[in-house]
Amino acid sequence: MSEKRPLQQLAELGQSVWIDFLSRELLASGELARLVREDAVVGVTSNPAIFEKAITHSGAYDRQLRDLLPREVSAKEIFGELARADVTAACDLLRPVWEQTGGRDGYVSIEVDPNLAHDTNAQYYEARQLHESIARPNVLVKIPATKAGVTAIEDSIAAGRSINVTLIFSVERYAAVARAYRDGLRRFRAGGGDVAAIRSFASFFVSRLDSETDRRLDELGAPQKLKGKLGIANARLAYESYRQLFSPADELWAELAAAGAHPQRCLWASTSTKNPSYRDVLYVEELIGPDTVNTMPEETLLAFQDHGRVAPTLERGLDEAHRLLSRLAAAGVDYDDVVETLEADAIEKFSDSLSRVVAGLEARRKELAPSSGRR
């Protein structure tokens, strides 16, 4: 029997491989099915930037767009229809994985409107609407881990909905997210809900921390040896926190686990390498550990399958990870400001992506309208 390839080896070490991309072409071409069949992919994540790339650079959506024209809905509503159609199809494709893994994997994520990131109630109601309109047991709605989002996350869990928490940058915010999940489960159970039916993932962004920190280090003229370190260290510290918050020694969690609750797994996102001087699979190789997920852009996924090195690395160097924060502070890098900046920038970028794709759809609708009228 041939030796298993790198992505399959990740699965053997307890890490799930998801792909951070979704498009009509990926579905229609059979490529997503192939990735599931041959490359150990067991989940899909999406966001407004991903849908912008998918929709504005492809004619694959034109047929559905023509069908929507007579309804005279807004371009934003059209975007919602297109995105939900892709997510629904992907959920159906991955449903066997969801069933075979007992709900551990097989999920597809769709994000609430990033413009709602600071409105608790709006996020909660949009998450409910997305769950109800897609109506698949393996759909995850993504809510950003803003302060307002944390409350919406707890309320959504308490209502019995599975949530993928996105845009986590700091270990402190991660701990708040994990506690929101546990508190939501407690409330759901108190109302008679089956906590075993709920799943949640905490999406911790990795490479963006290095991009921002490295830029600041260059401006400060700080030692080069501090560059390219924070993203991995930050994720390792988050995993350390995960181990504590979901430990059998924690009284609240032990009670929930006894009732069938599942830990909120850490999900490593933003794992493509932005700096070309870094190894192209750096953020996969250095964060391999059990009960985690790594969602990779297609190019990173294929690169790791080609030449990734597999070893249990996630819990290595924890002491050094703790020391790094002090060393960065001594060099003049304000960690709290870095993570706050990244959260604000990410929300703005996703909002801009949504605006661009809506504007593009409006323009495309005008292009297609004449031909639609002659049918």
Side-chain angles (χ1 to χ4, degrees), residues 313-324:
T313 54
L314 183 52
E315 295 184 275
R316 292 178 182 173
L318 273 174
D319 290 342
E320 176 58 27
H322 282 282
R323 286 193 294 268
L324 178 67

Side-chain angles (χ1 to χ4, degrees), residues 241-272:
S241 184
Y242 160 83
R243 288 290 206 191
Q244 296 166 354
L245 287 160
F246 296 99
S247 165
D250 184 285
E251 187 175 339
L252 172 59
W253 179 247
E255 182 180 338
L256 289 167
H262 307 281
Q264 182 188 56
R265 294 164 67 194
C266 290
L267 186 155
W268 313 130
S270 182
T271 54
S272 61

Side-chain angles (χ1 to χ4, degrees), residues 290-320:
D291 302 319
T292 59
V293 178
N294 196 313
T295 187
M296 312 174 205
E298 189 172 13
E299 60 271 21
T300 304
L301 187 146
L302 297 177
F304 191 83
Q305 185 72 306
D306 179 68
H307 54 264
R309 299 185 295 240
V310 180
T313 54
L314 183 52
E315 295 184 275
R316 292 178 182 173
L318 273 174
D319 290 342
E320 176 58 27

